[in-house]
Amino acid sequence: DSGVTQTPKHLITATGQRVTLRCSPRSGDLSVYWYQQSLDQGLQFLIQYYNGEERAKGNILERFSAQQFPDLHSELNLSSLELGDSALYFCASTGGGVGTGELFFGEGSRLTVL
Amino acid sequence: QQPVQSPQAVILREGEDAVINCSSSKALYSVHWYRQKHGEAPVFLMILLKGGEQKGHEKISASFNEKKQQSSLYLTASQLSYSGTYFCGTESRDTDKLIFGTGTRLQVFP
């Protein structure tokens, strides 16, 4: 158990819909990362937050947005869903800058768009 | 910007050794190595911060050549439990992004 909690674990929805994925980081971790992993593909960096503020952005689509709340949990919002958005979405947390420590990954939220 | 890993796949018998390489076109601050088993989350193996520094984790070690922006992961006397996909993650000096490589699928057979 990494200490990072992601909900829901599985989600099935239709094209055009909107979903919200939630992540609770390890206790004390200020930094949250979001990654997208399509079937048998690599980990694509989406976005990073540190103590409530956006710190780094990857190739995140405009249809996607995220935020980190004062209690440090984070949410990833995916809207106008397309078939290609089907993937495993991972959240990871760390204490501070990546260079200072390891990322602890949640079990992921598997999104299926039909 | 995505680091490139080689080889893409490795098949081993128990007890054999393997090397996985990771290279980047950007000046690096750190290199991470993670292992992901099918259907599971990636698990941290090690992080390298200094040029040429080698770190170890059980029979798995790694090196980081900061000048060449390259890292190598060494797996010695492989075990069945080593099977999985190995990802390197690189962080450059001007960003907090941890960008993962293309992955190397390792299969160890008895």
Side-chain angles (χ1 to χ4, degrees):
Chain A
D1 182 6
S2 68
V4 178
T5 303
Q6 288 188 248
T7 57
K9 285 188 168 44
H10 299 275
L11 191 56
I12 301 174
T13 188
T15 55
Q17 295 298 304
R18 172 190 172 94
V19 298
T20 296
L21 309 180
R22 181 189 169 100
C23 169
S24 294
R26 285 191 326 154
S27 177
D29 282 357
L30 300 178
S31 194
V32 169
Y33 292 72
W34 286 97
Y35 289 90
Q36 178 193 55
Q37 187 173 41
S38 300
L39 188 63
D40 291 330
Q41 297 297 311
L43 295 154
Q44 299 300 315
F45 171 73
L46 295 178
I47 199 163
Q48 184 219 352
Y49 283 86
Y50 178 80
N51 202 20
E53 293 192 3
E54 181 185 306
R55 203 168 195 180
K57 213 168 188 177
N59 296 325
I60 186 168
L61 298 172
E62 285 191 7
R63 299 184 286 108
F64 295 1
S65 64
Q67 55 183 325
Q68 186 179 27
F69 294 86
D71 66 352
L72 301 178
H73 91 271
S74 178
E75 292 182 357
L76 179 66
N77 301 296
L78 315 175
S79 62
S80 302
L81 286 168
E82 301 176 359
L83 295 178
D85 298 328
S86 295
L88 191 53
Y89 291 85
F90 283 108
C91 163
S93 76
T94 187
V98 173
T100 61
E102 67 183 272
L103 288 188
F104 294 87
F105 282 82
E107 294 184 350
S109 291
R110 184 172 295 281
L111 173 66
T112 302
V113 182
L114 300 177
Chain B
Q1 291 188 3
Q2 183 181 32
V4 177
Q5 290 184 231
S6 62
Q8 287 186 313
V10 183
I11 298 176
L12 299 174
R13 293 284 184 189
E14 265 188 300
E16 293 182 336
D17 301 340
V19 179
I20 299 172
N21 300 302
C22 172
S23 64
S24 173
S25 58
K26 299 190 72 174
L28 300 178
Y29 173 76
S30 70
V31 178
H32 292 221
W33 285 97
Y34 290 77
R35 176 172 60 209
Q36 183 180 30
K37 293 187 180 287
H38 186 68
E40 299 180 7
V43 174
F44 174 81
L45 293 176
M46 66 191 73
I47 181 172
L48 302 106
L49 297 175
K50 294 181 181 178
E53 182 174 341
Q54 195 154 347
K55 289 197 172 185
H57 176 75
E58 298 177 344
K59 294 181 181 178
I60 301 174
S61 62
S63 63
F64 177 25
N65 188 322
E66 190 177 358
K67 288 183 180 179
K68 293 185 177 180
Q69 294 106 51
Q70 292 177 348
S71 178
S72 293
L73 185 71
Y74 307 94
L75 300 103
T76 58
S78 60
Q79 306 169 12
L80 295 176
S81 61
Y82 286 5
S83 293
T85 301
Y86 289 77
F87 291 100
C88 69
T90 59
E91 182 188 22
S92 57
R93 293 184 180 276
D94 60 349
T95 177
D96 285 332
K97 298 179 187 179
L98 183 64
I99 306 299
F100 284 96
T102 46
T104 297
R105 184 170 293 184
L106 180 79
Q107 291 179 284
V108 181
F109 290 95

